[in-house]
Amino acid sequence: MVAGLDEKLEPIYQEVLHRNPGETEFHQAVREVLETLGPVLVKYPELADRKIIQLCCEPERQIIFRVPWQDDKGQTHINRAFRVEFNSALGPYKGGMRFHPSVYLGIIKFLGFEQIFKNALTGMPIGGGKGGSDFDPKGRSDAEIMRFCQSMMTELYRHLGEYTDVPAGDIGVGQREIGYLFGQYKRITNRYESGVFTGKGLDWGGSRARKEATGFGTVFFTNEMLKVRSDSLDGKTCVVSGSGNVAIYAMEKAMELGAKVVACSDSNGVIVDKEGIDLDLVKQIKEVERRRINAYVQEKKSARYLEDGNIWEVPCHVALPCATQNELNGHDAKALVKNGCIVVAEGANMPCTPEAVRIFSDAGIAFGPGKAANAGGVATSALEMQQNASRDSWTFEHTEERLREIMVDIHRNCYETADEFGAPGNYVTGANITGFLKVGRAMMAMGVV
Ligand code: NAP
């Protein structure tokens, strides 16, 4: 069943449906936020009078362009790329670039919309944006990836700037791609503008702990949710979907805090290792050799590979969806509840469907939404910008400690706001309202712009 919307909010949602036809992920992300904002408009009617919610639903600027490039055989390909500059009330647009064949405007808008509130939650001076392309990097050579990135940046550069719009990585975009994009930006603009991109390599302006930050942050947040329940990760069985950047470092920190991670995945299948996932092996397969996760079982006899398997049917106390949107549905949520799961935190963006979230809530499972739980990545990007601005480079320990403090603060703010607005323990409500109020107040202060 779909929860009803407040009578002031229903017309806003209908208008979003009408103005953005076919963008189902964007609709889903907007609805999830609107469902929690009713009490805010009662307490702060001036936000309704100034149409702050409607403004948040309409990007400040949307850029769509073609990216022509040639493969190693000289064949021409044409991809489509996007940059949605959603909201700059708190700082320059900030959000990653995604390369995946499923990318279209609706995906980039859902991600950009979420990013507004996530970035506000970090307490850092960053606005919300997102970008990407329907380019599929799988199976492409380094030279092809480079040519694609250079062609993309040949258009994108004019929209970027350290005070304007600062992209980073996301699905299919890691340090290699950021290097090619940054290199072309530097060449075209003739400026070594470190702060225009985050997720850079350590030798050329990157921050220590940025690579680890999203996964580590998700686990710090999970640990705080457990602490509230007088519990901890120590001795817990954990399942982490995906085996990319977020998943790998979520597994690493969960293990460090005493959990046993027994399963991870990629888009082809799931590996289950009853002895606990061997993370060095996963890193070798994914980060170094760029192979499929099924290579794991050739090395580890204790592991099973489930082609097209469902990772959420693996019994666990802690579930961390770290792959992609809508990867955990109502059926999966029921399986997790049945098998004794006590906490779910979203390392990915919107991986749980609305039905799954309702099932967790009804079952009393602690649920950390991506806006809050995976905000450590963008928060550490803002720390990278700080280091670039001051021509400084912090130690890993210092950067990780700043990240941990930020995640503890985000958790506390969400928890207290949920309480204040009559939804104790509901981190979805807490995250949406905290983020919305911060950005909404800034928008009010700046007038109708
Ligand atoms: P990544 O390094 O490219 O890894 C993505 C992982 O998810 C891969 O294992 C991939 O498997 C799997 N995956 C992708 N699409 C899938 C699909 N349709 N079905 C099943 N599995 C799929 O990307 P990432 O940076 O870890 O991002 C993962 C999630 O975290 C995304 O939702 C992203 O928006 C979110 N996030 C990332 C950051 C960040 O700092 N990177 C920050 C905040 C949130 P294949 O290799 O088989 O495709």
Side-chain angles (χ1 to χ4, degrees), residues 98 100 111 118 130 138 169-173 210 214 242-247 265-268 286 292 322-325 347-349 374 377-378:
R98 176 177 291 194
H100 194 272
L111 290 163
K118 179 190 306 192
K130 198 82 188 187
K138 278 201 196 90
D170 191 80
I171 289 178
V173 179
R210 172 61 188 91
T214 310
S243 49
N245 174 259
V246 179
S265 61
D266 64 17
S267 56
N268 295 112
K286 285 292 173 183
R292 310 307 299 155
C322 294
T324 195
Q325 65 276 352
N349 285 311
N374 72 38
V378 75

Side-chain angles (χ1 to χ4, degrees), residues 34 52 182:
L34 294 191
I52 295 297
F182 180 70

Side-chain angles (χ1 to χ4, degrees), residues 53-69:
I53 298 179
Q54 291 92 321
L55 281 166
C56 283
C57 293
E58 186 69 25
E60 290 178 16
R61 191 176 299 112
Q62 306 181 56
I63 301 144
I64 305 179
F65 55 101
R66 79 171 184 218
V67 184
W69 59 281

Side-chain angles (χ1 to χ4, degrees), residues 63-65 80-84 97 103-105 108 130-132:
I63 301 144
I64 305 179
F65 55 101
R80 185 174 289 176
F82 307 86
R83 187 75 190 164
V84 176
M97 298 292 291
V103 164
Y104 77 107
L105 187 59
I108 300 301
K130 198 82 188 187

Side-chain angles (χ1 to χ4, degrees), residues 130-280:
K130 198 82 188 187
S133 171
D134 55 6
F135 172 68
D136 187 356
K138 278 201 196 90
R140 291 292 171 197
S141 68
D142 273 3
E144 288 173 327
I145 301 277
M146 182 179 76
R147 284 196 292 277
F148 175 80
C149 289
Q150 290 178 339
S151 180
M152 172 184 249
M153 188 50 83
T154 302
E155 168 60 32
L156 187 61
Y157 85 95
R158 68 187 88 245
H159 307 289
L160 306 183
E162 64 179 314
Y163 298 110
T164 309
D165 187 350
V166 183
D170 191 80
I171 289 178
V173 179
Q175 212 176 89
R176 174 182 58 169
E177 292 73 19
I178 290 171
Y180 294 145
L181 290 163
F182 180 70
Q184 183 75 345
Y185 180 87
K186 179 173 77 62
R187 185 180 187 196
I188 296 176
T189 59
N190 195 29
R191 284 161 64 91
Y192 203 108
E193 195 184 330
S194 298
V196 76
F197 240 99
T198 60
K200 300 182 294 296
L202 286 183
D203 295 327
W204 39 283
S207 171
R208 292 192 177 80
R210 172 61 188 91
K211 182 175 69 170
E212 293 82 358
T214 310
F216 277 22
T218 301
V219 173
F220 288 141
F221 193 90
T222 307
N223 207 33
E224 292 304 301
M225 289 197 291
L226 285 164
K227 261 193 210 162
V228 165
R229 298 177 167 217
S230 310
D231 207 341
S232 79
L233 275 162
D234 196 28
K236 298 288 184 297
T237 299
C238 184
V239 157
V240 180
S241 66
S243 49
N245 174 259
V246 179
I248 286 177
Y249 294 97
M251 289 195 265
E252 184 165 308
K253 187 52 75 180
M255 289 174 190
E256 236 179 87
L257 296 182
K260 182 177 180 183
V261 181
V262 294
C264 67
S265 61
D266 64 17
S267 56
N268 295 112
V270 176
I271 52 166
V272 184
D273 190 338
K274 57 182 185 308
E275 286 182 0
I277 295 290
D278 176 343
L279 198 56
D280 288 338

Side-chain angles (χ1 to χ4, degrees), residues 22-30 104 106-107 110 325-326 350:
E23 298 176 1
T24 50
E25 296 83 0
F26 179 50
H27 303 162
Q28 182 182 336
V30 169
Y104 77 107
I107 296 249
F110 117 64
Q325 65 276 352
N326 292 328
M350 207 169 75

